[in-house]
Amino acid sequence: MTTPTASPPKIWYEANCHCGAVRYKVLAPRLEDSPCTSCTCSICTKNGLVNIYPKHHEVVFHQGFDTLKEYRCGTKQSTHKFCPECGSSILIDFNGSLHGPMEDAMAVNVRMFKDIDMGKLNVEHFDGKNLLGPAYNI
């Protein structure tokens, strides 16, 4: 009989865009102990995103959510949200397009988190360029 492993404890990370117009917090496992994702799809590559995937209720905005601009690319199912002032990429809302354990998740850019050391993160690579469609072509 296998004993289920406990989920790692979660902590709140404070975050903001570059100009400070958007401020929020994210509940997640310690970033140094959990994988983050660097995707090779066009939008993630061009914006340098490194993401984690919390549930919607684990992301709490203090200010600026209603001002976020939106952009849809590829299949147009996911909404990329960014600050209208400084352009910082905040998150990707999958809008229910994922199923299973990721159904209520969104991608949140850890580069906006305060006081993290990117060099200490366990960054895994996802081949979004070849696995997600349609192909980027401009």
Side-chain angles (χ1 to χ4, degrees):
M1 181 166 135
T2 317
T3 306
T5 56
S7 297
K10 294 182 177 183
I11 59 174
W12 287 102
Y13 287 94
E14 292 293 327
N16 57 271
C17 65
H18 191 265
C19 71
V22 180
R23 297 176 189 266
Y24 55 103
K25 64 182 180 178
V26 179
L27 184 63
R30 275 180 32 93
L31 295 179
E32 295 84 357
D33 300 333
S34 301
C36 300
T37 302
S38 176
C39 176
T40 62
C41 78
S42 60
I43 192 78
C44 289
T45 298
K46 288 190 177 290
N47 285 307
L49 304 182
V50 176
N51 294 314
I52 59 169
Y53 301 89
K55 304 287 186 196
H56 279 80
H57 71 272
E58 295 173 324
V59 180
V60 178
F61 282 84
H62 304 306
Q63 72 180 41
F65 179 79
D66 293 336
T67 66
L68 289 174
K69 294 294 184 185
E70 298 182 352
Y71 176 71
R72 291 177 183 244
C73 60
T75 64
K76 310 279 192 231
Q77 291 179 335
S78 299
T79 307
H80 298 259
K81 297 190 179 221
F82 59 95
C83 175
E85 296 299 319
C86 65
S88 295
S89 183
I90 306 297
L91 62 86
I92 303 167
D93 189 341
F94 299 115
N95 301 314
S97 64
L98 303 178
H99 303 286
M102 294 287 287
E103 186 171 11
D104 187 42
M106 63 173 107
V108 177
N109 184 10
V110 300
R111 291 187 183 274
M112 300 299 115
F113 291 12
K114 292 182 180 181
D115 303 320
I116 61 165
D117 183 345
M118 292 298 294
K120 292 184 178 179
L121 302 185
N122 174 21
V123 180
E124 297 179 349
H125 297 277
F126 176 73
D127 187 13
K129 179 179 181 181
N130 294 304
L131 297 174
L132 303 173
Y136 175 73
N137 187 13
I138 291 186

